[in-house]
């Protein structure tokens, strides 16, 4: 089975190089991996002590960040090596300040896994949430390197729990400990006789709680808001925006809107702005030319990345996009931590925090234009309902923090700390 797996990886490697000619994203995926070993060799000396964290993409990085920060503090003499699998994670966070070295993870062949581990020689390894690369895990097992899964999620439709999944089940033997998010994940691992498992919860709660300790002020958002009730739309897709624009154009309520689309390509931003009949300004316009007064605008479109979290702190109501597509709604915990009532689309069942907040009634799911209009109108006009739902959201986040401390208390010291 390992032979077949390695053959598939080699074929995929070849095909990706061809696809990269036509796809900018795949080109980043392929070209970004070319200098990895050279970078590692230049930045990590044989005498250095290192701890390796792997994140599939941006969401997993944010999820693992509280643990990375704690480990960095606990082991200040170790270099933190951070790897990403996807361009959407690496390209956004390649210049982060928490890791000493940030690179793409080379494809999972035995030779590349051996080379990577030889250069990094990690004393501890953390995989965030998921991604189980058999060759890396096999080599880590041979080296007897303490390896942990943090904020893990297991579902019974995964290959580990199929009759033909023995190859992947074997890879799980590498993990020193599994820190999982919920009871169902623990039960599934126990079915595989994995008793080295603890329910730690989700480190994303620790991540968003820490946001409250930071300076979230943005002068230009304060100027735009001007103490008027504001709806912040985060990570919206065209399906979300088609409903939202209709409400924006027809509402007579005194309310302002800030829209931070998931995709900030200039053509889509232009189409979005042109569809809105009310006075609208782009972030890029504020940056590049003088605006007489942001207070005069009704809609502010954020055509940049990296500031949505701070913008949520100005929200009276939040709409989080993605819920009208697959895989579903984006991160609702950031607005929740600010005590903001949340509205989402119908596709949220794969996200435990969204399901919980919908059940608690801090978050409301809508399926069509009529429902969206009714929910927004109710939240705008009723201060008591708006405040109650916001309180539910903040309390939910506060009640679920603490996963990072559970993990830190239960990891073994590295080979030489």
């Amino acid at each position: 089975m390992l032979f077949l797996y390695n053959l598939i990886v080699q074929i995929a490697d070849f095909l990706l190089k061809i696809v990269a000619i036509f796809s900018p994203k795949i080109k980043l995926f392929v070209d970004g991996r070319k200098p990895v070993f050279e970078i590692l060799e230049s930045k990590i000396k044989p005498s250095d002590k290192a701890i390796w964290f792997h994140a599939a993409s941006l969401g997993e990085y944010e999820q693992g960040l509280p643990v990375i920060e704690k480990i960095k503090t606990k082991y200040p003499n170790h270099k933190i090596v951070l790897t990403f699998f996807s361009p959407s994670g690496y390209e956004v966070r390649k210049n982060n300040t928490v890791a000493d070295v940030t690179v793409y993870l080379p494809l999972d062949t035995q030779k590349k896994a051996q080379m990577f581990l030889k250069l990094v020689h990690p004393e501890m390894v953390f995989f965030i949430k998921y991604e189980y690369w058999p060759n890396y895990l096999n080599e880590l097992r041979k080296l007897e390197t303490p390896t942990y899964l943090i904020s893990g999620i297991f579902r019974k439709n995964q290959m580990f729990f199929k009759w033909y999944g023995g190859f992947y089940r074997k890879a799980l033997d590498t993990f020193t400990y599994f820190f999982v998010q919920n009871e169902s994940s623990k039960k599934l691992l126990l079915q595989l006789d994995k008793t080295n498992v603890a329910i730690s919860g989700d480190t994303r709660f620790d991540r968003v709680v820490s946001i409250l300790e930071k300076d979230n002020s943005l002068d230009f958002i304060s100027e735009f808001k001007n103490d008027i009730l504001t709806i912040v739309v985060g990570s919206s897709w065209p399906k979300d925006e088609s409903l939202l624009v209709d409400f924006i154009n027809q509402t007579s309520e005194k309310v302002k809107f800030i829209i931070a689309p998931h995709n900030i390509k200039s053509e889509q931003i232009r189409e979005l702005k042109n569809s809105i009949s009310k006075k609208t300004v782009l972030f890029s316009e504020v940056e590049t030319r003088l605006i007489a007064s942001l207070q005069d605008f009704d809609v502010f479109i954020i055509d940049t990345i990296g500031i949505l979290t701070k913008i949520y702190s100005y929200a009276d109501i939040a709409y989080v996009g993605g819920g009208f597509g697959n895989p579903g709604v984006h991160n609702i915990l950031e607005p929740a931590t600010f005590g903001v009532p949340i509205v989402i689309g119908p596709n949220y069942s794969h996200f435990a925090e969204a399901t919980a907040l919908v059940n608690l009634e801090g978050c409301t799911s809508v399926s069509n234009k009529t429902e969206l209009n009714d929910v927004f109108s109710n939240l705008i006009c009723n201060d008591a309902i708006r405040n109650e739902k916001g309180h539910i959201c903040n309390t939910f986040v506060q009640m679920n923090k603490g996963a990072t401390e559970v993990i830190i208390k239960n990891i073994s010291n590295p080979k030489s700390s």
Side-chain angles (χ1 to χ4, degrees):
M1 185 66 181
L2 184 59
F3 171 80
L4 179 60
Y5 172 81
N6 284 327
L7 179 62
I8 292 171
V9 173
Q10 294 287 357
I11 294 171
D13 189 18
F14 174 75
L15 293 176
L16 284 167
K17 290 173 182 175
I18 297 174
V19 176
I21 300 172
F22 310 99
S23 168
K25 184 173 182 179
I26 299 300
K27 183 174 174 58
L28 287 172
F29 182 95
V30 172
D31 290 350
R33 284 170 162 77
K34 290 178 180 178
V36 167
F37 293 128
E38 183 179 340
I39 292 170
L40 294 175
E41 197 165 12
S42 67
K43 292 191 174 184
I44 304 175
K45 301 174 183 177
S47 58
D48 285 338
K49 296 182 287 187
I51 297 173
W52 170 32
F53 286 83
H54 175 65
S57 192
L58 183 59
E60 290 70 42
Y61 165 80
E62 298 291 345
Q63 195 161 32
L65 190 56
V67 179
I68 301 174
E69 291 172 337
K70 287 285 187 180
I71 289 291
K72 189 177 179 72
T73 301
K74 188 173 183 179
Y75 303 105
N77 297 322
H78 286 67
K79 285 191 171 179
I80 302 297
V81 179
L82 173 65
T83 58
F84 286 97
F85 182 76
S86 81
S88 57
Y90 176 80
E91 296 300 328
V92 175
R93 290 291 181 259
K94 60 185 176 183
N95 296 318
N96 72 84
T97 57
V98 70
D100 298 286
V101 185
T102 302
V103 293
Y104 279 101
L105 181 70
L107 288 183
D108 186 36
T109 67
Q110 185 178 32
K111 183 178 179 181
K112 289 179 179 178
Q114 289 173 343
M115 177 63 74
F116 178 89
L117 293 172
K118 180 181 179 181
L119 292 172
V120 177
H121 48 270
E123 296 182 357
M124 282 194 296
V125 178
F126 295 85
F127 285 79
I128 303 167
K129 191 175 180 179
Y130 53 58
E131 285 213 333
Y132 310 92
W133 299 110
N135 282 308
Y136 281 100
L137 291 173
N138 286 342
E139 296 304 319
L140 286 168
R141 185 166 62 250
K142 292 176 187 176
L143 295 168
E144 298 183 346
T145 304
T147 303
Y148 302 92
L149 179 71
I150 58 177
S151 290
I153 283 282
F154 288 91
R155 297 184 178 91
K156 58 185 177 182
N157 62 349
Q158 290 174 303
M159 193 175 292
F160 308 111
F161 311 105
K162 304 294 186 181
W163 64 268
Y164 51 83
F167 171 63
Y168 274 93
R169 285 194 290 273
K170 180 66 176 175
L172 295 180
D173 292 343
T174 298
F175 287 98
T176 308
Y177 221 83
F178 299 89
F179 296 100
V180 297
Q181 293 187 31
N182 52 40
E183 180 69 30
S184 62
S185 294
K186 180 178 180 179
K187 287 180 178 178
L188 286 168
L189 285 171
L190 289 174
Q191 290 176 17
L192 302 180
D193 296 323
K194 304 296 181 189
T195 57
N196 52 332
V197 54
I199 301 173
S200 63
D202 190 343
T203 51
R204 285 184 304 161
F205 288 96
D206 299 326
R207 168 64 174 152
V208 296
V209 167
S210 71
I211 292 170
L212 297 175
E213 302 168 2
K214 300 177 180 179
D215 180 7
N216 293 295
S217 60
L218 294 168
D219 291 342
F220 59 92
I221 297 295
S222 296
E223 182 186 349
F224 168 79
K225 181 179 173 71
N226 193 28
D227 294 325
I228 295 173
L229 190 145
T230 300
I231 297 176
V232 173
V233 177
S235 303
S236 59
W237 290 78
K239 286 185 178 179
D240 301 296
E241 291 157 7
S242 64
L243 276 67
L244 292 160
V245 167
D246 183 77
F247 180 82
I248 292 170
N249 288 340
Q250 61 85 27
T251 185
S252 59
E253 300 291 345
K254 188 177 181 181
V255 59
K256 291 199 170 190
F257 299 86
I258 302 174
I259 306 174
H262 179 77
N263 191 325
I264 57 170
K265 290 182 179 178
S266 57
E267 183 180 340
Q268 292 190 10
I269 293 294
R270 186 168 57 253
E271 288 179 3
L272 174 60
K273 183 181 180 182
N274 290 340
S275 69
I276 298 171
S277 60
K278 295 188 176 178
K279 199 169 181 181
T280 302
V281 64
L282 306 181
F283 176 82
S284 57
E285 293 174 332
V286 176
E287 279 200 315
T288 57
R289 65 182 176 87
L290 292 175
I291 298 295
S293 175
L294 283 171
Q295 296 177 14
D296 296 335
F297 292 91
D298 302 302
V299 182
F300 198 166
I301 298 176
I302 310 300
D303 53 342
T304 188
I305 60 173
I307 59 174
L308 176 58
T309 301
K310 290 178 182 289
I311 292 173
Y312 276 134
S313 71
Y314 291 87
D316 297 289
I317 301 165
Y319 179 95
V320 179
F324 282 91
N326 289 311
V329 69
H330 288 279
N331 184 6
I332 68 168
L333 293 181
E334 288 182 352
T337 199
F338 289 112
V340 179
I342 301 165
V343 183
I344 59 175
N347 296 341
Y348 63 88
S349 61
H350 288 305
F351 302 90
E353 69 280 3
T355 301
L357 271 176
V358 169
N359 290 337
L360 290 169
E361 299 184 359
C363 177
T364 306
S365 171
V366 297
S367 299
N368 53 54
K369 181 172 65 177
T370 300
E371 291 179 5
L372 178 80
N373 292 353
D374 289 346
V375 169
F376 271 171
S377 296
N378 189 33
L379 289 172
I380 290 168
C381 297
N382 195 318
D383 291 355
I385 290 177
R386 191 171 66 249
N387 292 334
E388 180 185 359
K389 288 181 178 293
H391 178 71
I392 290 170
C393 288
N394 175 261
T395 301
F396 174 74
V397 172
Q398 294 293 331
M399 291 287 288
N400 283 281
K401 65 184 182 181
T404 302
E405 289 302 322
V406 172
I407 293 167
I408 297 299
K409 287 179 181 178
N410 287 281
I411 63 172
S412 304
N413 288 332
K415 295 175 183 177
S416 55
S417 58

